[in-house]
Structure formats: C-alpha cells, structure tokens
Amino acid sequence: MFRSRSKDDKAQAAQAKVTMSKQPRDPEAPKGRPTPKRSEAQTQRRSVANTKMSPKEARTRTRDERRTAMQRQREALANGDERYLPARDKGPVRKYARDFVDSRFAIAEYFLPMAVVILVLSMIRVGSLQNIALLLWLFVIVAIVVDSAVTGFRLKKILAEKFPDERRKGAVAYALMRTLQMKRLRLPKPQVKRGERP
C-alpha cells in the first residue's frame, strides 16, 4: 500500500521472468526454493513408487524378488559366488574357514555313518557286541572332541595371523559345524581338494 509502484513492478517482472522463461536454468543460479531434507525426499520417492502399484501387484512383485534372490542364493551355494551367498557365509574369513576345513580330513564328518553302525551293534542282543558298541561309541565321541579342539585351536591361530583387522567372531564355530557334514554334502560346495592349501 505504501510501497512505490516501481518496486512492485520490478518484483512482478522478476517473478514473471523466472517462471515464464523457456530457456534452461543456469546451474549456478539460485533455484528459488529451499533444498528438501533427505527424509522428505525419500518419503516423496517412496510415495511415488508405492502409489503406482495395487496391493496385489506389490505382493506379486515382492514374491518374485524373493524367489529371484533365493534362486541366486542356491546357485551361489553350488558354485561359491561370494556376491549372492547368505550373510553367514560371506566374507574372506568365512571363506578361509571353509577352505581350511575342506582341505583336511575330519573325524566328525563320519559321525553319522559311525552312529548308525554303533546303533545297529547295540540293538543285537549279544552281550559282547553291545559292549563293543559302547566302547566304540565312547572312542568316537572322544576322538571327535579331540579332533575338533585341535582344528579349532589351529584355525583360530591362523585366522588371527591372516586376518588381524577383519571380524573373526563365530568363524571357528562355523568351521566346526561344517566338519560335522560329509564333504560332498556341504554347502557352499567345497572349492579345494583334500591336502590342498587354502
């Protein structure tokens, strides 16, 4: 009301010039609005992405993505592709632990076949065979415990030397659990032969 006409005219002309101009905006010129916060920008992107699909389409898409991810994971477990392995198998420490176990003989991997033999022997109603089965059972348990302790101790020492800056928590237990499976049934598939250095 109390402004001079020239100031009003200048403000309107500048605004019209900014909005009506068909030329591309100079990248160094001010854009005329504040930059949105990251949370606001992400919310806008999510809302745009979510409004395009119906709930049924979203469920179908999620199911397809999960199926694709599981397929990739199965293939990675078969061929050892690090990119698509499950989180528990990823990383250089876990890979070395797998290779260390796969490269050596472990008594624990024959636990299930030996347990079946011992069970059959213990079911036969002959006193001497049952005594042999009991002694064999004790021998197998002690042998597995000793072998696992030696393997765990050696692996822990080697991991500390080879990967001083990497996270090693749980790698020894992971390796010992792998020794309980027969070599050809292990997942991810073994990448080294017996006797090879990992």
Side-chain angles (χ1 to χ4, degrees):
M1 183 173 175
F2 296 104
R3 286 184 187 168
S4 65
R5 276 182 100 82
S6 60
K7 285 183 182 176
D8 286 342
D9 291 341
K10 284 180 186 175
Q12 287 175 355
Q15 190 174 6
K17 189 176 180 183
V18 169
T19 56
M20 303 293 273
S21 173
K22 299 208 176 190
Q23 294 178 353
R25 187 176 70 79
D26 186 274
E28 295 184 10
K31 61 186 171 212
R33 61 182 170 79
T35 303
K37 291 182 180 177
R38 179 179 288 185
S39 59
E40 293 171 358
Q42 287 175 344
T43 306
Q44 288 173 355
R45 277 199 302 269
R46 284 190 196 120
S47 65
V48 168
N50 292 342
T51 53
K52 291 180 182 176
M53 289 187 289
S54 68
K56 186 178 179 181
E57 290 170 339
R59 282 194 301 272
T60 306
R61 182 177 174 185
T62 305
R63 193 180 319 118
D64 290 343
E65 287 172 356
R66 193 180 313 121
R67 190 176 297 134
T68 306
M70 291 300 291
Q71 179 64 30
R72 281 184 188 156
Q73 206 174 83
R74 277 193 295 273
E75 289 171 5
L77 288 169
N79 61 26
D81 188 356
E82 279 282 321
R83 293 173 299 168
Y84 303 115
L85 284 175
R88 70 184 169 90
D89 298 314
K90 278 187 179 175
V93 175
R94 298 293 172 109
K95 183 177 185 341
Y96 187 86
R98 286 196 303 272
D99 292 346
F100 181 83
V101 166
D102 295 338
S103 67
R104 59 193 307 272
F105 172 79
I107 298 170
E109 70 181 278
Y110 298 107
F111 172 73
L112 285 177
M114 287 187 289
V116 170
V117 169
I118 292 167
L119 184 65
V120 169
L121 286 175
S122 64
M123 290 174 71
I124 298 172
R125 295 193 177 264
V126 177
S128 59
L129 282 179
Q130 288 183 338
N131 289 338
I132 290 170
L134 183 61
L135 288 172
L136 195 59
W137 184 248
L138 290 172
F139 172 76
V140 166
I141 296 295
V142 170
I144 288 173
V145 168
V146 170
D147 185 49
S148 298
V150 170
T151 302
F153 179 75
R154 286 183 60 203
L155 180 59
K156 190 173 184 179
K157 187 178 175 184
I158 293 170
L159 289 177
E161 290 171 4
K162 283 191 172 283
F163 305 99
D165 300 329
E166 297 279 340
R167 187 173 180 271
R168 301 183 303 272
K169 186 177 180 184
V172 174
Y174 170 77
L176 293 178
M177 289 300 293
R178 190 171 173 86
T179 62
L180 290 171
Q181 301 165 336
M182 296 184 78
K183 187 170 179 179
R184 66 176 177 272
L185 301 177
R186 293 174 183 166
L187 289 175
K189 293 281 185 193
Q191 304 292 313
V192 293
K193 294 178 181 175
R194 285 198 205 280
E196 284 183 3
R197 284 181 175 264

